[in-house]
Amino acid sequence: MNQKAFIFDLDGVIVDTARYHYLAWQKIATRLGIEFTHEHNELLKGVSRVRSLDIILGLGNVQATQEDKDKWLMEKNEDYLQSIHHMQADEILDGVVPVLDYLKNNNQKVALGSASKNARPILEKVGLLHYFDAIVDGNDVTNAKPDPEVFVKAAQLLGMPPEGAIVFEDSVAGVQAANIAQMISIGIGDKSVLQEAHYNFTDFTEIDTEFLETLVTT
Ligand code: B16
Ligand code: MG
């Protein structure tokens, strides 16, 4: 069997941390008098922490000094860390573990490629850290998705060429990043949103062994 590089995004693919990000950002937004809805939260999917704050401030037309921004970024993260502190294996999204098991049992290379600076503690808390041969997160990259840096670095760390690596992503920017790197993009979520992906699935329960076999052998 061939050996391929499989790269997973974290939020929206392995776990749903978007709701914790939302709660933490909402506190900051409320304090600043900015309306911040679930629809607004969608704009922050796969986006870095710094850029997320800029988007929220933009929603309310709020200007701020760098000092203020740094303070809010720290507060947001402290709040978020409190939420993820309680995460456990039951927060892993349905169907993810069988796919990871298949990949490990079939000698495939597995990496994480996430914008989050909190990726490692989250994987540890939900008990998935041991599946990953490499982790590239928000601490390791300078260019945010759709720049392919995060995925190219992940393939590099796995010792595999970027072309032909397989990426699971829930954000448009992430799918674009994978495509730019000439990887195979698999959109997880709404197909009408992730239409640029090579393959689409609503969630991991739709991904069967036959499909994984095809990815490995072609
Ligand atoms: P942190 P992903 C992303 O994770 C989230 O989707 C995004 O909402 C968040 O702002 C970003 O991580 C940074 O997270 O504040 O923990 O560094 O989808 O790239 O795994
Ligand atoms: Mg994501």
Side-chain angles (χ1 to χ4, degrees), residues 8-13 17-18 21 25 41 44-50 52 76-77 80 84 112-119 122 138 145 169-171:
F8 291 73
D9 175 51
L10 180 68
D11 177 27
V13 168
T17 36
H21 285 296
W25 282 128
N41 197 49
L44 312 185
K45 260 192 181 177
V47 172
S48 75
R49 197 183 309 163
V50 171
S52 298
K76 185 269 171 182
N77 196 50
Y80 178 69
I84 63 170
L112 190 86
S114 163
S116 174
K117 293 189 172 182
N118 298 302
I122 292 171
K145 302 167 190 174
E169 251 297 344
D170 73 312
S171 74

Side-chain angles (χ1 to χ4, degrees), residues 18 21-22 25-26 29-30 33-47 51-61:
H21 285 296
Y22 176 68
W25 282 128
Q26 206 188 32
T30 305
I34 302 170
E35 195 198 358
F36 181 60
T37 63
H38 280 287
E39 285 71 41
H40 292 143
N41 197 49
E42 288 297 304
L43 301 170
L44 312 185
K45 260 192 181 177
V47 172
R51 176 87 191 105
S52 298
L53 177 61
D54 283 340
I55 292 173
I56 292 167
L57 294 179
L59 289 171
N61 264 319

Side-chain angles (χ1 to χ4, degrees), residues 63-80:
Q63 311 288 330
T65 62
Q66 193 53 51
E67 201 185 341
D68 276 341
K69 286 193 196 179
D70 289 345
K71 192 179 78 183
W72 298 330
L73 287 168
M74 210 180 67
E75 287 171 3
K76 185 269 171 182
N77 196 50
E78 277 170 6
D79 216 44
Y80 178 69

Side-chain angles (χ1 to χ4, degrees), residues 99-126:
V99 170
L100 286 169
D101 278 335
Y102 173 89
L103 297 177
K104 294 317 281 182
N105 291 337
N106 287 279
N107 197 30
Q108 300 302 306
K109 296 272 194 183
V110 176
L112 190 86
S114 163
S116 174
K117 293 189 172 182
N118 298 302
R120 273 174 194 274
I122 292 171
L123 286 180
E124 208 171 344
K125 292 221 172 279
V126 300

Side-chain angles (χ1 to χ4, degrees), residues 126-143:
V126 300
L128 291 181
L129 199 54
H130 65 283
Y131 283 101
F132 292 85
D133 303 303
I135 292 176
V136 181
D137 64 17
N139 299 295
D140 308 309
V141 293
T142 42
N143 304 302

